[in-house]
Amino acid sequence: MATAFDSIPLIDISPLLAKWDDPNMVQDQGVAEVVRQLDQACREAGFFYVKGHGIPDSVIEEVRNVTYKFFSLPYEEKLKIKISPATGYRGYQRIGENITKGIPDMHEAIDCYREVKPGMFGALSKPLEGPNQWPINPPNIKQLMEEYIRMCTDLSRKIMLGIALALGASADAFEGLLTLVNQDDDKTALEVRNLSGEWILAPPIHGTFICNIGDMLKILTNGLYESTLHRVINNSPKYRVSVAYFYETNFDAAIEPLDICIKRTGGTKKFGGAVYGKHLVSKVQTNFVNEDELCS
């Protein structure tokens, strides 16, 4: 039975990364301990920090630096890559453009996704079709971010391998369903709600990512793993940068509770199925003020 956590667990995943392609990895004590910690974190908190992840601090910091440089540009310059339905909901979103539960969010962002060509996933993917929009300034942002995405994809795949092993599933059971957050080192703003309804701070830890699991993994595990409510409250007088990478499943994937997880949770299927792309498109299309204003 899950308990009400009072802090976010920190996991050194270096043993898992060292053995991830070893067919006998499950017999390694270091890997077994990482798997145990991942299992506990996903059951109890839905959030965890990872260190020993292999992505250089210099890259993590440079990603935040170029992000600062872009958002420091004049508003008119940022609008050159303005997000809209016509751009496949890719590009710059201004402050107050994104909404949560009907309330405008006080943040600005650049949104990008896997690039989708027309017809790649049928009619369902049409709202998100198109290439990503990258700004001209800073001049290295496209190259840096694409390499960073490659690194995060590789890291996320290996973390998900550990989570699959924690569930007793095959090593390739999961492809997606994880978020890696690269947040400023000097501002505590992220909060996670525990089972008692308390908001637990997730302060930055230098050299780590903070990870959280999403709704699709909660469905796949039949509720064994928890997708946890969280929020961001920045009380600093300075603005905060957070670069979130979403390792998501295939667009046309049908998400259903896995048989092994149904058995481990009493034998009853607790969730209906979902098509990931339909879930994503619905989320994107309802996350903005309205389409007319987006196109204005």
Side-chain angles (χ1 to χ4, degrees):
M1 185 176 181
T3 59
F5 61 94
D6 57 12
S7 63
I8 308 299
L10 171 63
I11 304 173
D12 182 351
I13 61 168
S14 56
L16 176 66
L17 269 56
K19 297 281 187 176
W20 76 272
D21 58 350
D22 184 341
N24 299 314
M25 65 181 298
V26 292
Q27 299 171 19
D28 183 88
Q29 290 186 348
V31 172
E33 177 58 19
V34 173
V35 168
R36 184 196 67 77
Q37 291 181 44
L38 286 171
D39 182 58
Q40 183 176 358
C42 290
R43 287 173 182 269
E44 296 181 359
F47 272 77
F48 51 93
Y49 298 93
V50 293
K51 67 177 183 177
H53 47 70
I55 298 180
D57 285 351
S58 59
V59 173
I60 293 172
E61 291 168 7
E62 181 60 16
V63 165
R64 291 201 302 265
N65 288 340
V66 298
T67 304
Y68 268 107
K69 289 176 183 177
F70 172 78
F71 289 115
S72 297
L73 293 172
Y75 180 61
E76 295 74 17
E77 183 72 15
K78 292 181 282 191
L79 283 180
K80 290 179 180 179
I81 59 163
K82 181 184 176 184
I83 196 171
S84 75
T87 66
Y89 294 93
R90 302 158 189 270
Y92 169 72
Q93 55 168 274
R94 62 187 182 270
I95 293 174
E97 192 162 29
N98 189 271
I99 59 173
T100 301
K101 295 183 178 179
I103 301 173
D105 292 325
M106 296 305 293
H107 78 262
E108 55 184 340
I110 298 178
D111 287 0
C112 62
Y113 301 90
R114 177 186 175 186
E115 296 189 346
V116 179
K117 296 179 181 179
M120 184 181 287
F121 297 105
L124 179 62
S125 67
K126 189 171 180 59
L128 289 177
E129 288 177 353
N132 288 320
Q133 294 198 91
W134 295 107
I136 297 174
N137 291 308
N140 65 328
I141 190 169
K142 180 179 186 291
Q143 180 180 358
L144 175 66
M145 295 303 291
E146 288 182 343
E147 176 62 13
Y148 179 71
I149 288 168
R150 185 196 65 76
M151 291 180 177
C152 288
T153 300
D154 183 63
L155 172 60
S156 298
R157 183 175 291 118
K158 292 169 183 175
I159 295 173
M160 290 307 303
L161 167 62
I163 290 175
L165 294 175
L167 290 165
S170 63
D172 60 353
F174 304 117
E175 279 292 332
L177 323 165
L178 184 74
T179 303
L180 303 179
V181 179
N182 172 2
Q183 56 179 339
D184 274 341
D185 282 340
D186 59 346
K187 303 175 189 73
T188 297
L190 180 62
E191 301 178 0
V192 183
R193 195 171 76 175
N194 69 14
L195 294 178
S196 297
E198 301 167 312
W199 288 100
I200 306 301
L201 293 175
I205 299 177
H206 181 75
T208 71
F209 290 100
I210 189 162
C211 307
N212 70 286
I213 62 176
D215 293 337
M216 296 298 105
L217 188 54
K218 183 173 183 175
I219 292 173
L220 279 166
T221 63
N222 205 37
L224 191 64
Y225 285 174
E226 188 60 47
S227 174
T228 317
L229 189 65
H230 51 283
R231 68 186 184 185
V232 174
I233 299 177
N234 182 19
N235 291 316
S236 168
K238 298 180 180 180
Y239 75 87
R240 167 184 178 267
V241 159
S242 173
V243 183
Y245 166 82
F246 300 93
Y247 183 60
E248 300 176 326
T249 193
N250 288 338
F251 193 86
D252 53 356
I255 307 299
E256 297 270 356
L258 297 174
D259 288 342
I260 191 172
C261 295
I262 294 172
K263 290 177 183 177
R264 292 182 61 178
T265 52
T268 302
K269 186 177 176 182
K270 299 178 181 179
F271 301 98
V275 175
Y276 178 69
K278 186 176 181 180
H279 167 82
L280 178 61
V281 168
S282 174
K283 187 174 181 179
V284 169
Q285 290 184 324
T286 57
N287 263 17
F288 294 96
V289 177
N290 62 61
E291 292 197 3
D292 292 335
E293 188 168 342
L294 276 173
C295 294
S296 64

